[in-house]
Short mmCIF file of all heavy atoms in Angstrom, two decimals:
data_model
loop_
_atom_site.label_atom_id
_atom_site.label_comp_id
_atom_site.label_asym_id
_atom_site.label_seq_id
_atom_site.Cartn_x
_atom_site.Cartn_y
_atom_site.Cartn_z
N MET A 528 -5.83 1.71 7.77
CA MET A 528 -5.49 1.72 6.32
C MET A 528 -6.52 2.58 5.58
O MET A 528 -7.72 2.51 5.85
CB MET A 528 -5.51 0.25 5.75
CG MET A 528 -5.34 0.15 4.30
SD MET A 528 -5.86 -1.40 3.63
CE MET A 528 -4.46 -2.37 3.99
N LYS A 529 -5.98 3.31 4.63
CA LYS A 529 -6.83 4.07 3.73
C LYS A 529 -6.59 3.52 2.27
O LYS A 529 -5.53 3.03 1.94
CB LYS A 529 -6.47 5.55 3.71
CG LYS A 529 -6.53 6.19 5.08
CD LYS A 529 -7.88 6.84 5.30
CE LYS A 529 -7.85 7.64 6.55
NZ LYS A 529 -9.18 8.16 6.92
N VAL A 530 -7.65 3.68 1.47
CA VAL A 530 -7.51 3.19 0.11
C VAL A 530 -8.27 4.15 -0.79
O VAL A 530 -9.29 4.66 -0.45
CB VAL A 530 -8.01 1.78 -0.12
CG1 VAL A 530 -9.48 1.62 0.25
CG2 VAL A 530 -7.71 1.21 -1.49
N ARG A 531 -7.70 4.43 -1.99
CA ARG A 531 -8.37 5.30 -2.98
C ARG A 531 -8.06 4.75 -4.37
O ARG A 531 -7.19 3.91 -4.56
CB ARG A 531 -8.04 6.74 -2.79
CG ARG A 531 -6.56 7.05 -2.97
CD ARG A 531 -6.21 8.49 -2.52
NE ARG A 531 -4.85 8.68 -2.38
CZ ARG A 531 -4.03 9.03 -3.36
NH1 ARG A 531 -4.54 9.28 -4.55
NH2 ARG A 531 -2.73 9.21 -3.23
N ILE A 532 -8.78 5.26 -5.35
CA ILE A 532 -8.65 4.81 -6.69
C ILE A 532 -8.20 6.02 -7.58
O ILE A 532 -8.79 7.08 -7.52
CB ILE A 532 -10.01 4.27 -7.26
CG1 ILE A 532 -10.33 2.99 -6.47
CG2 ILE A 532 -9.88 3.93 -8.72
CD1 ILE A 532 -11.72 2.43 -6.80
N ASP A 533 -7.16 5.75 -8.37
CA ASP A 533 -6.70 6.76 -9.30
C ASP A 533 -7.53 6.62 -10.57
O ASP A 533 -7.40 5.69 -11.31
CB ASP A 533 -5.20 6.59 -9.57
CG ASP A 533 -4.67 7.63 -10.49
OD1 ASP A 533 -5.44 8.26 -11.21
OD2 ASP A 533 -3.42 7.82 -10.54
N TYR A 534 -8.43 7.58 -10.82
CA TYR A 534 -9.36 7.44 -11.90
C TYR A 534 -8.78 7.78 -13.30
O TYR A 534 -9.35 7.55 -14.28
CB TYR A 534 -10.64 8.30 -11.69
CG TYR A 534 -11.49 7.71 -10.59
CD1 TYR A 534 -11.56 8.32 -9.33
CD2 TYR A 534 -12.11 6.47 -10.77
CE1 TYR A 534 -12.28 7.74 -8.33
CE2 TYR A 534 -12.86 5.87 -9.79
CZ TYR A 534 -12.95 6.53 -8.59
OH TYR A 534 -13.67 5.93 -7.57
N ASP A 535 -7.49 8.26 -13.29
CA ASP A 535 -6.80 8.37 -14.53
C ASP A 535 -6.35 6.97 -15.00
O ASP A 535 -6.01 6.85 -16.23
CB ASP A 535 -5.57 9.28 -14.36
CG ASP A 535 -5.95 10.72 -14.16
OD1 ASP A 535 -7.07 11.12 -14.69
OD2 ASP A 535 -5.27 11.48 -13.51
N LEU A 536 -6.24 6.03 -14.04
CA LEU A 536 -5.73 4.72 -14.41
C LEU A 536 -6.77 3.67 -14.45
O LEU A 536 -6.76 2.66 -15.23
CB LEU A 536 -4.74 4.28 -13.38
CG LEU A 536 -3.42 5.17 -13.32
CD1 LEU A 536 -2.52 4.71 -12.21
CD2 LEU A 536 -2.63 5.10 -14.63
N CYS A 537 -7.86 3.73 -13.61
CA CYS A 537 -8.93 2.75 -13.55
C CYS A 537 -9.51 2.49 -14.87
O CYS A 537 -9.95 3.39 -15.62
CB CYS A 537 -10.03 3.18 -12.53
SG CYS A 537 -11.41 2.05 -12.47
N MET A 538 -9.59 1.19 -15.24
CA MET A 538 -10.12 0.81 -16.57
C MET A 538 -11.49 0.16 -16.37
O MET A 538 -12.18 -0.29 -17.33
CB MET A 538 -9.17 -0.15 -17.31
CG MET A 538 -8.91 -1.42 -16.58
SD MET A 538 -7.71 -2.40 -17.43
CE MET A 538 -7.72 -3.93 -16.54
N GLY A 539 -12.03 0.15 -15.14
CA GLY A 539 -13.42 -0.17 -14.91
C GLY A 539 -13.81 -1.63 -15.14
O GLY A 539 -14.89 -1.91 -15.53
N ASP A 540 -12.94 -2.54 -14.87
CA ASP A 540 -13.24 -3.91 -15.05
C ASP A 540 -13.94 -4.51 -13.84
O ASP A 540 -14.51 -5.58 -13.92
CB ASP A 540 -12.01 -4.79 -15.30
CG ASP A 540 -11.05 -4.78 -14.15
OD1 ASP A 540 -11.19 -4.06 -13.18
OD2 ASP A 540 -10.08 -5.67 -14.21
N GLY A 541 -14.01 -3.76 -12.76
CA GLY A 541 -14.79 -4.22 -11.56
C GLY A 541 -14.13 -5.31 -10.75
O GLY A 541 -14.78 -5.84 -9.82
N ASN A 542 -12.89 -5.62 -11.00
CA ASN A 542 -12.30 -6.74 -10.27
C ASN A 542 -12.18 -6.45 -8.80
O ASN A 542 -12.33 -7.37 -7.96
CB ASN A 542 -10.94 -7.06 -10.83
CG ASN A 542 -10.37 -8.34 -10.20
OD1 ASN A 542 -10.95 -9.43 -10.46
ND2 ASN A 542 -9.32 -8.24 -9.40
N CYS A 543 -11.88 -5.23 -8.35
CA CYS A 543 -11.77 -4.85 -6.99
C CYS A 543 -13.05 -5.22 -6.23
O CYS A 543 -13.00 -5.65 -5.06
CB CYS A 543 -11.35 -3.46 -6.78
SG CYS A 543 -12.25 -2.25 -7.72
N LYS A 544 -14.22 -4.95 -6.84
CA LYS A 544 -15.48 -5.24 -6.13
C LYS A 544 -15.59 -6.74 -6.03
O LYS A 544 -16.15 -7.26 -5.01
CB LYS A 544 -16.64 -4.71 -6.89
CG LYS A 544 -17.84 -4.87 -6.07
CD LYS A 544 -19.13 -4.77 -6.81
CE LYS A 544 -20.21 -5.32 -5.82
NZ LYS A 544 -21.55 -5.18 -6.45
N LYS A 545 -15.15 -7.54 -6.96
CA LYS A 545 -15.24 -8.98 -6.86
C LYS A 545 -14.37 -9.47 -5.72
O LYS A 545 -14.75 -10.43 -4.98
CB LYS A 545 -14.78 -9.66 -8.17
CG LYS A 545 -15.85 -9.55 -9.22
CD LYS A 545 -15.36 -10.42 -10.45
CE LYS A 545 -16.11 -9.88 -11.72
NZ LYS A 545 -15.19 -9.76 -12.86
N VAL A 546 -13.20 -8.88 -5.56
CA VAL A 546 -12.20 -9.38 -4.57
C VAL A 546 -12.71 -8.92 -3.16
O VAL A 546 -12.68 -9.69 -2.17
CB VAL A 546 -10.86 -8.83 -4.84
CG1 VAL A 546 -9.91 -9.15 -3.74
CG2 VAL A 546 -10.31 -9.36 -6.18
N CYS A 547 -13.19 -7.68 -3.01
CA CYS A 547 -13.55 -7.15 -1.75
C CYS A 547 -14.83 -6.26 -1.80
O CYS A 547 -14.73 -5.03 -1.77
CB CYS A 547 -12.42 -6.41 -1.10
SG CYS A 547 -12.73 -5.95 0.64
N PRO A 548 -16.01 -6.92 -1.88
CA PRO A 548 -17.24 -6.08 -2.03
C PRO A 548 -17.55 -5.30 -0.75
O PRO A 548 -18.38 -4.39 -0.85
CB PRO A 548 -18.32 -7.22 -2.35
CG PRO A 548 -17.72 -8.44 -1.80
CD PRO A 548 -16.22 -8.38 -1.94
N GLU A 549 -16.88 -5.63 0.33
CA GLU A 549 -17.14 -4.87 1.57
C GLU A 549 -16.58 -3.46 1.51
O GLU A 549 -16.96 -2.60 2.28
CB GLU A 549 -16.54 -5.57 2.78
CG GLU A 549 -17.12 -7.01 3.04
CD GLU A 549 -16.40 -8.11 2.23
OE1 GLU A 549 -15.55 -7.79 1.35
OE2 GLU A 549 -16.75 -9.27 2.40
N VAL A 550 -15.62 -3.25 0.58
CA VAL A 550 -14.94 -1.94 0.48
C VAL A 550 -15.12 -1.22 -0.90
O VAL A 550 -15.18 -0.02 -0.89
CB VAL A 550 -13.47 -2.09 0.79
CG1 VAL A 550 -12.66 -0.87 0.46
CG2 VAL A 550 -13.23 -2.56 2.25
N PHE A 551 -15.29 -2.05 -1.91
CA PHE A 551 -15.42 -1.50 -3.29
C PHE A 551 -16.85 -1.69 -3.79
O PHE A 551 -17.37 -2.80 -3.65
CB PHE A 551 -14.44 -2.16 -4.19
CG PHE A 551 -12.97 -1.87 -3.87
CD1 PHE A 551 -12.26 -2.85 -3.16
CD2 PHE A 551 -12.32 -0.70 -4.13
CE1 PHE A 551 -10.94 -2.68 -2.83
CE2 PHE A 551 -10.99 -0.48 -3.77
CZ PHE A 551 -10.27 -1.48 -3.09
N GLU A 552 -17.37 -0.63 -4.40
CA GLU A 552 -18.62 -0.75 -5.07
C GLU A 552 -18.37 -0.44 -6.57
O GLU A 552 -17.37 0.10 -6.91
CB GLU A 552 -19.60 0.38 -4.46
CG GLU A 552 -21.01 0.22 -4.90
CD GLU A 552 -21.61 -1.19 -4.84
OE1 GLU A 552 -22.01 -1.61 -3.70
OE2 GLU A 552 -21.56 -1.93 -5.82
N TYR A 553 -19.32 -0.95 -7.37
CA TYR A 553 -19.13 -0.71 -8.86
C TYR A 553 -20.26 0.15 -9.35
O TYR A 553 -21.47 -0.17 -9.13
CB TYR A 553 -19.08 -1.94 -9.61
CG TYR A 553 -18.63 -1.82 -10.98
CD1 TYR A 553 -17.31 -1.44 -11.37
CD2 TYR A 553 -19.56 -1.90 -12.09
CE1 TYR A 553 -16.93 -1.18 -12.66
CE2 TYR A 553 -19.13 -1.67 -13.37
CZ TYR A 553 -17.86 -1.34 -13.71
OH TYR A 553 -17.48 -1.08 -14.95
N ASP A 554 -19.90 1.28 -10.05
CA ASP A 554 -20.93 2.16 -10.56
C ASP A 554 -21.17 1.75 -12.04
O ASP A 554 -20.33 1.96 -12.95
CB ASP A 554 -20.43 3.62 -10.48
CG ASP A 554 -21.50 4.59 -10.88
OD1 ASP A 554 -22.21 4.34 -11.90
OD2 ASP A 554 -21.64 5.68 -10.27
N ASP A 555 -22.33 1.11 -12.30
CA ASP A 555 -22.61 0.64 -13.60
C ASP A 555 -22.74 1.73 -14.66
O ASP A 555 -22.48 1.59 -15.82
CB ASP A 555 -23.89 -0.18 -13.63
CG ASP A 555 -23.69 -1.54 -12.89
OD1 ASP A 555 -22.75 -2.22 -13.35
OD2 ASP A 555 -24.49 -1.87 -12.05
N ASP A 556 -23.22 2.88 -14.23
CA ASP A 556 -23.42 3.97 -15.17
C ASP A 556 -22.05 4.62 -15.57
O ASP A 556 -21.86 4.86 -16.74
CB ASP A 556 -24.29 5.09 -14.53
CG ASP A 556 -25.73 4.65 -14.23
OD1 ASP A 556 -26.15 3.73 -15.06
OD2 ASP A 556 -26.36 5.10 -13.34
N LYS A 557 -21.26 4.87 -14.60
CA LYS A 557 -19.97 5.49 -14.84
C LYS A 557 -18.89 4.51 -15.31
O LYS A 557 -17.80 4.81 -15.75
CB LYS A 557 -19.43 6.36 -13.68
CG LYS A 557 -20.37 7.47 -13.41
CD LYS A 557 -19.83 8.27 -12.23
CE LYS A 557 -20.74 9.46 -11.81
NZ LYS A 557 -20.42 9.92 -10.50
N MET A 558 -19.16 3.19 -15.02
CA MET A 558 -18.22 2.12 -15.36
C MET A 558 -16.91 2.27 -14.62
O MET A 558 -15.84 2.09 -15.23
CB MET A 558 -18.10 1.96 -16.84
CG MET A 558 -19.40 1.49 -17.49
SD MET A 558 -19.39 1.43 -19.23
CE MET A 558 -18.14 0.27 -19.59
N ILE A 559 -17.05 2.63 -13.35
CA ILE A 559 -15.79 2.72 -12.46
C ILE A 559 -16.16 2.12 -11.16
O ILE A 559 -17.33 1.98 -10.81
CB ILE A 559 -15.29 4.18 -12.31
CG1 ILE A 559 -16.44 5.05 -11.83
CG2 ILE A 559 -14.65 4.72 -13.57
CD1 ILE A 559 -16.02 6.44 -11.39
N SER A 560 -15.15 1.85 -10.37
CA SER A 560 -15.32 1.39 -9.02
C SER A 560 -15.20 2.55 -8.04
O SER A 560 -14.59 3.50 -8.35
CB SER A 560 -14.33 0.29 -8.65
OG SER A 560 -14.70 -0.96 -9.35
N LEU A 561 -15.87 2.32 -6.93
CA LEU A 561 -15.85 3.42 -5.92
C LEU A 561 -15.42 2.76 -4.57
O LEU A 561 -15.65 1.58 -4.29
CB LEU A 561 -17.28 3.96 -5.67
CG LEU A 561 -18.02 4.44 -6.91
CD1 LEU A 561 -19.46 4.64 -6.60
CD2 LEU A 561 -17.40 5.75 -7.36
N VAL A 562 -14.77 3.57 -3.70
CA VAL A 562 -14.39 3.09 -2.36
C VAL A 562 -15.53 3.58 -1.47
O VAL A 562 -15.93 4.76 -1.50
CB VAL A 562 -13.13 3.74 -1.88
CG1 VAL A 562 -12.83 3.34 -0.40
CG2 VAL A 562 -11.92 3.33 -2.80
N THR A 563 -16.10 2.63 -0.66
CA THR A 563 -17.30 2.95 0.13
C THR A 563 -16.96 3.14 1.61
O THR A 563 -17.91 3.38 2.40
CB THR A 563 -18.31 1.80 0.02
OG1 THR A 563 -17.70 0.58 0.49
CG2 THR A 563 -18.76 1.61 -1.42
N VAL A 564 -15.76 3.16 2.00
CA VAL A 564 -15.39 3.35 3.40
C VAL A 564 -14.36 4.48 3.50
O VAL A 564 -13.63 4.64 2.54
CB VAL A 564 -14.81 2.05 4.08
CG1 VAL A 564 -15.86 0.95 4.04
CG2 VAL A 564 -13.52 1.60 3.44
N ASP A 565 -14.36 5.11 4.66
CA ASP A 565 -13.26 6.06 4.87
C ASP A 565 -12.02 5.37 5.35
O ASP A 565 -10.95 5.56 4.72
CB ASP A 565 -13.79 7.08 5.97
CG ASP A 565 -12.70 8.12 6.22
OD1 ASP A 565 -12.03 8.56 5.29
OD2 ASP A 565 -12.49 8.49 7.38
N THR A 566 -12.16 4.57 6.38
CA THR A 566 -10.99 3.80 6.79
C THR A 566 -11.36 2.29 6.61
O THR A 566 -12.47 1.86 6.97
CB THR A 566 -10.74 4.03 8.31
OG1 THR A 566 -10.47 5.47 8.46
CG2 THR A 566 -9.52 3.24 8.84
N VAL A 567 -10.42 1.54 6.12
CA VAL A 567 -10.63 0.13 5.81
C VAL A 567 -10.67 -0.66 7.14
O VAL A 567 -9.77 -0.57 7.97
CB VAL A 567 -9.56 -0.54 4.96
CG1 VAL A 567 -9.81 -2.02 4.73
CG2 VAL A 567 -9.52 0.19 3.66
N PRO A 568 -11.82 -1.36 7.46
CA PRO A 568 -11.85 -2.17 8.67
C PRO A 568 -10.76 -3.22 8.69
O PRO A 568 -10.45 -3.78 7.58
CB PRO A 568 -13.25 -2.84 8.59
CG PRO A 568 -14.13 -1.92 7.79
CD PRO A 568 -13.10 -1.36 6.74
N ALA A 569 -10.21 -3.47 9.79
CA ALA A 569 -8.97 -4.34 9.86
C ALA A 569 -9.20 -5.72 9.20
O ALA A 569 -8.31 -6.23 8.58
CB ALA A 569 -8.57 -4.52 11.36
N GLN A 570 -10.41 -6.26 9.36
CA GLN A 570 -10.65 -7.58 8.81
C GLN A 570 -10.66 -7.60 7.27
O GLN A 570 -10.63 -8.66 6.74
CB GLN A 570 -11.97 -8.18 9.40
CG GLN A 570 -13.25 -7.49 8.95
CD GLN A 570 -13.71 -6.43 10.01
OE1 GLN A 570 -12.88 -5.68 10.53
NE2 GLN A 570 -15.03 -6.32 10.19
N TYR A 571 -10.75 -6.41 6.67
CA TYR A 571 -10.72 -6.45 5.18
C TYR A 571 -9.38 -5.99 4.59
O TYR A 571 -9.29 -5.89 3.37
CB TYR A 571 -11.87 -5.54 4.69
CG TYR A 571 -13.25 -6.02 5.13
CD1 TYR A 571 -14.18 -5.10 5.70
CD2 TYR A 571 -13.64 -7.28 5.12
CE1 TYR A 571 -15.37 -5.46 6.15
CE2 TYR A 571 -14.79 -7.76 5.60
CZ TYR A 571 -15.72 -6.79 6.10
OH TYR A 571 -16.93 -7.20 6.55
N GLU A 572 -8.48 -5.65 5.44
CA GLU A 572 -7.18 -5.06 4.94
C GLU A 572 -6.52 -6.02 3.98
O GLU A 572 -5.98 -5.58 2.94
CB GLU A 572 -6.33 -4.76 6.13
CG GLU A 572 -6.75 -3.50 6.81
CD GLU A 572 -5.78 -3.07 7.92
OE1 GLU A 572 -4.82 -3.82 8.16
OE2 GLU A 572 -6.04 -2.00 8.53
N GLU A 573 -6.50 -7.32 4.26
CA GLU A 573 -5.82 -8.28 3.42
C GLU A 573 -6.47 -8.38 2.04
O GLU A 573 -5.84 -8.45 0.98
CB GLU A 573 -5.74 -9.64 4.08
CG GLU A 573 -4.66 -10.56 3.54
CD GLU A 573 -3.32 -9.87 3.50
OE1 GLU A 573 -2.88 -9.23 4.49
OE2 GLU A 573 -2.63 -10.03 2.41
N LYS A 574 -7.81 -8.31 1.99
CA LYS A 574 -8.53 -8.37 0.75
C LYS A 574 -8.29 -7.18 -0.05
O LYS A 574 -8.25 -7.18 -1.32
CB LYS A 574 -10.05 -8.64 0.99
CG LYS A 574 -10.42 -10.03 1.43
CD LYS A 574 -11.76 -10.10 1.93
CE LYS A 574 -12.78 -10.29 0.81
NZ LYS A 574 -14.14 -10.56 1.37
N VAL A 575 -8.17 -6.01 0.61
CA VAL A 575 -7.86 -4.78 -0.10
C VAL A 575 -6.49 -4.82 -0.71
O VAL A 575 -6.26 -4.40 -1.87
CB VAL A 575 -8.04 -3.55 0.80
CG1 VAL A 575 -7.49 -2.31 0.21
CG2 VAL A 575 -9.50 -3.34 1.18
N ARG A 576 -5.50 -5.32 0.06
CA ARG A 576 -4.19 -5.49 -0.53
C ARG A 576 -4.13 -6.42 -1.71
O ARG A 576 -3.52 -6.16 -2.79
CB ARG A 576 -3.18 -6.07 0.52
CG ARG A 576 -2.84 -5.07 1.56
CD ARG A 576 -1.71 -5.66 2.47
NE ARG A 576 -1.64 -4.85 3.68
CZ ARG A 576 -2.16 -5.29 4.87
NH1 ARG A 576 -2.69 -6.45 4.96
NH2 ARG A 576 -2.13 -4.44 5.96
N GLN A 577 -4.94 -7.52 -1.65
CA GLN A 577 -5.10 -8.40 -2.79
C GLN A 577 -5.70 -7.70 -3.96
O GLN A 577 -5.23 -7.83 -5.11
CB GLN A 577 -5.96 -9.63 -2.40
CG GLN A 577 -6.03 -10.65 -3.48
CD GLN A 577 -7.07 -11.79 -3.16
OE1 GLN A 577 -7.49 -11.96 -2.02
NE2 GLN A 577 -7.50 -12.46 -4.20
N ALA A 578 -6.77 -6.92 -3.78
CA ALA A 578 -7.41 -6.13 -4.83
C ALA A 578 -6.39 -5.25 -5.50
O ALA A 578 -6.36 -5.12 -6.76
CB ALA A 578 -8.58 -5.41 -4.36
N ALA A 579 -5.55 -4.57 -4.69
CA ALA A 579 -4.56 -3.62 -5.29
C ALA A 579 -3.55 -4.40 -6.09
O ALA A 579 -3.15 -3.98 -7.14
CB ALA A 579 -3.87 -2.88 -4.11
N GLU A 580 -3.12 -5.58 -5.61
CA GLU A 580 -2.16 -6.42 -6.38
C GLU A 580 -2.73 -6.88 -7.73
O GLU A 580 -2.02 -6.95 -8.68
CB GLU A 580 -1.79 -7.67 -5.56
CG GLU A 580 -0.65 -7.35 -4.54
CD GLU A 580 -0.41 -8.58 -3.67
OE1 GLU A 580 -0.61 -9.72 -4.12
OE2 GLU A 580 0.09 -8.33 -2.58
N GLU A 581 -4.04 -7.16 -7.68
CA GLU A 581 -4.68 -7.72 -8.91
C GLU A 581 -5.13 -6.62 -9.83
O GLU A 581 -5.43 -6.96 -11.00
CB GLU A 581 -5.91 -8.52 -8.53
CG GLU A 581 -5.49 -9.84 -7.86
CD GLU A 581 -6.76 -10.74 -7.62
OE1 GLU A 581 -7.86 -10.48 -8.18
OE2 GLU A 581 -6.64 -11.68 -6.86
N CYS A 582 -5.15 -5.38 -9.44
CA CYS A 582 -5.60 -4.31 -10.29
C CYS A 582 -4.57 -4.11 -11.38
O CYS A 582 -3.40 -3.54 -11.12
CB CYS A 582 -5.80 -3.04 -9.50
SG CYS A 582 -6.35 -1.63 -10.45
N ALA A 583 -4.87 -4.46 -12.58
CA ALA A 583 -3.91 -4.49 -13.69
C ALA A 583 -3.24 -3.14 -13.96
O ALA A 583 -2.00 -3.07 -14.10
CB ALA A 583 -4.54 -5.07 -14.94
N PRO A 584 -4.02 -2.06 -13.95
CA PRO A 584 -3.35 -0.73 -14.22
C PRO A 584 -2.71 -0.10 -12.98
O PRO A 584 -2.18 0.99 -13.07
CB PRO A 584 -4.48 0.13 -14.75
CG PRO A 584 -5.70 -0.45 -14.17
CD PRO A 584 -5.46 -1.94 -13.99
N GLY A 585 -2.83 -0.79 -11.80
CA GLY A 585 -2.28 -0.21 -10.64
C GLY A 585 -2.98 1.01 -10.14
O GLY A 585 -2.36 1.98 -9.61
N ALA A 586 -4.36 0.98 -10.25
CA ALA A 586 -5.08 2.20 -9.92
C ALA A 586 -5.47 2.24 -8.44
O ALA A 586 -5.98 3.30 -8.00
CB ALA A 586 -6.37 2.22 -10.78
N ILE A 587 -5.32 1.19 -7.68
CA ILE A 587 -5.68 1.15 -6.28
C ILE A 587 -4.52 1.56 -5.44
O ILE A 587 -3.43 0.93 -5.43
CB ILE A 587 -6.20 -0.16 -5.87
CG1 ILE A 587 -7.43 -0.55 -6.74
CG2 ILE A 587 -6.53 -0.25 -4.39
CD1 ILE A 587 -8.02 -1.97 -6.47
N ILE A 588 -4.65 2.66 -4.75
CA ILE A 588 -3.58 3.21 -3.94
C ILE A 588 -3.86 2.97 -2.46
O ILE A 588 -4.90 3.41 -1.91
CB ILE A 588 -3.47 4.73 -4.14
CG1 ILE A 588 -3.06 4.97 -5.67
CG2 ILE A 588 -2.38 5.34 -3.28
CD1 ILE A 588 -3.60 6.21 -6.19
N VAL A 589 -3.03 2.15 -1.79
CA VAL A 589 -3.23 1.77 -0.41
C VAL A 589 -2.25 2.62 0.44
O VAL A 589 -1.08 2.72 0.09
CB VAL A 589 -2.93 0.26 -0.20
CG1 VAL A 589 -2.95 -0.07 1.24
CG2 VAL A 589 -3.96 -0.55 -1.00
N GLU A 590 -2.74 3.23 1.48
CA GLU A 590 -1.93 3.99 2.44
C GLU A 590 -2.06 3.27 3.75
O GLU A 590 -3.08 3.25 4.40
CB GLU A 590 -2.43 5.44 2.52
CG GLU A 590 -2.17 6.16 1.18
CD GLU A 590 -2.97 7.43 1.05
OE1 GLU A 590 -3.74 7.79 2.01
OE2 GLU A 590 -2.80 8.06 0.02
N GLU A 591 -0.99 2.62 4.15
CA GLU A 591 -0.96 1.83 5.40
C GLU A 591 -0.90 2.75 6.60
O GLU A 591 -0.27 3.77 6.59
CB GLU A 591 0.21 0.89 5.41
CG GLU A 591 0.25 -0.11 4.30
CD GLU A 591 -0.71 -1.30 4.52
OE1 GLU A 591 -1.24 -1.47 5.62
OE2 GLU A 591 -0.75 -2.12 3.57
S1 SF4 B 1545 -9.62 -3.42 -10.21
FE1 SF4 B 1545 -8.59 -1.51 -10.70
S2 SF4 B 1545 -8.99 -1.11 -12.81
FE2 SF4 B 1545 -10.50 -2.58 -12.08
S3 SF4 B 1545 -12.30 -1.31 -11.42
FE3 SF4 B 1545 -10.95 -1.70 -9.61
S4 SF4 B 1545 -9.65 0.09 -9.54
FE4 SF4 B 1545 -10.53 0.03 -11.55
#
C-alpha cells in the first residue's frame, strides 16, 4: 500500500498523525502532515485506511 497527501486539500488538523503516528508526522511550522514511509507496513494498513476515512477534506490518497 502507498499513501500520499493532497496538499491542495489538507487543512492541517493533524488527525492522521493521531490515528497512525507510525506513518504520519506533523510539521508544526508548516501546519501540515507528512507521510514518513515509502510503502505502508502491512500492520499499519488498517490504521491508514481509518485515517483516510476520518480526513474531513479527503486529502489522504490510498493506493492499494
Ligand atoms: S487528517 Fe487530512 S486534513 Fe488533517 S492533517 Fe491529515 S491529511 Fe491533512
Side-chain angles (χ1 to χ4, degrees):
M528 174 199 276
K529 302 265 189 188
V530 63
R531 59 192 168 87
I532 294 172
D533 183 339
Y534 290 110
D535 290 332
L536 297 176
C537 175
M538 59 185 188
D540 66 348
N542 189 65
C543 47
K544 189 198 168 178
K545 285 189 203 134
V546 175
C547 188
E549 299 86 354
V550 169
F551 298 100
E552 188 50 82
Y553 191 72
D554 186 320
D555 287 307
D556 293 331
K557 295 182 185 163
M558 294 172 61
I559 53 170
S560 285
L561 308 165
V562 175
T563 59
V564 299
D565 180 39
T566 301
V567 177
Q570 66 266 40
Y571 302 134
E572 288 185 353
E573 201 50 47
K574 285 168 85 174
V575 168
R576 286 189 198 100
Q577 183 189 341
E580 276 173 27
E581 289 186 14
C582 177
I587 298 176
I588 300 150
V589 174
E590 293 163 359
E591 300 278 355

